[in-house]
Amino acid sequence: MKTLLPLADVYALLEPGPVLLLGTAHDGRANLMPLSWHCMLEFEPPLVGCVVSAANFSFAALEATGECVLNVPTVELAEQVVGCGNCSGREVDKFARFALTAVPSAQVAPPRLAECFASLECRVADRQLVGRYNFFILEVLQAWHDPSVSAPRTLHHRGFGTFMVAGEELTLPSAMC
C-alpha cells in the first residue's frame, strides 16, 4: 500500500544524474560547487540545463561570465564533493582546502578538475529561464574524459547527505542510432 510522500521529497525520486562539480571563475577566483539538478536537453550541439541557486557564490560567477566547467567526479571524491557543498567559495578556496587540482581549460576561463574522470567546458547558451527559475541552458564546447574509466562509479544525490553510487549496468536492444 502506498502512502503520501511529502512534496519536498519528490526530487529524491527523480534525481536526474550524477552529482557534478560546477567550476566557475570570476575576478581571478576559481570555485567549485556540487550540482545535482541538471539534465541533458540536446545531443548536438550538446545542451545541458541546470539550476543554480541565486544565493550561491557560483550563481554570481556564472551569471557574470557565462562560462563554467561541469566536472564529473566518482565515488572516490565523495568527501571532497560534500565538503565543497558544506562551505562557500566566498570565504574558502575549495581547490586548496580539498587538495583538488585545477587544470587550464581550452575554451573557457574556469579550470577543469584533474581528479574528475570527465570535464565539460560550457558557455551559457540561453538565459531566458534564469530570472524565474535560476535555470541556465549550457552549450558544451569541449568535452574531456579519461578513456581508462569505462564504468565510472558516480554519485547520485538522494537528499540530506545520502547518495547512491552507480553500479550494475544493464544492456538491452535499442533502436537508438
Side-chain angles (χ1 to χ4, degrees):
M1 177 98 169
K2 295 179 185 172
T3 62
L4 287 175
L5 178 69
L7 295 178
D9 295 341
V10 168
Y11 77 94
L13 296 175
L14 302 178
E15 184 275 319
V19 174
L20 307 175
L21 282 170
L22 172 70
T24 56
H26 185 49
D27 291 335
R29 184 172 186 150
N31 189 44
L32 295 167
M33 179 197 95
L35 175 69
S36 58
W37 290 16
H38 57 82
C39 61
M40 286 299 305
L41 299 174
E42 184 58 81
F43 292 106
E44 286 189 53
L47 296 178
V48 178
C50 67
V51 174
V52 180
S53 170
N56 289 344
F57 185 61
S58 295
F59 179 93
L62 185 57
E63 180 79 325
T65 67
E67 296 182 337
C68 66
V69 176
L70 301 176
N71 297 286
V72 189
T74 55
V75 68
E76 291 80 13
L77 291 177
E79 289 186 18
Q80 290 95 324
V81 168
V82 171
C84 284
N86 286 337
C87 61
S88 172
R90 286 183 186 91
E91 293 88 34
V92 174
D93 176 344
K94 295 181 188 182
F95 288 89
R97 176 170 288 179
F98 300 107
L100 297 169
T101 310
V103 176
S105 294
Q107 301 280 328
V108 297
R112 294 180 284 126
L113 192 53
E115 291 79 5
C116 289
F117 84 94
S119 297
L120 311 174
E121 298 181 24
C122 301
R123 185 165 293 127
V124 174
D126 190 331
R127 299 172 187 262
Q128 290 182 57
L129 299 174
V130 173
R132 186 168 183 148
Y133 299 108
N134 299 333
F135 188 81
F136 293 87
I137 297 177
L138 310 172
E139 179 179 349
V140 179
L141 304 174
Q142 190 146 4
W144 303 85
H145 77 110
D146 179 347
S148 71
V149 180
S150 59
R153 297 186 64 227
T154 53
L155 299 167
H156 298 260
H157 190 238
R158 298 297 307 270
F160 305 103
T162 301
F163 298 84
M164 287 190 321
V165 178
E168 181 181 353
E169 287 187 358
L170 177 64
T171 303
L172 301 171
S174 172
M176 187 174 170
C177 297

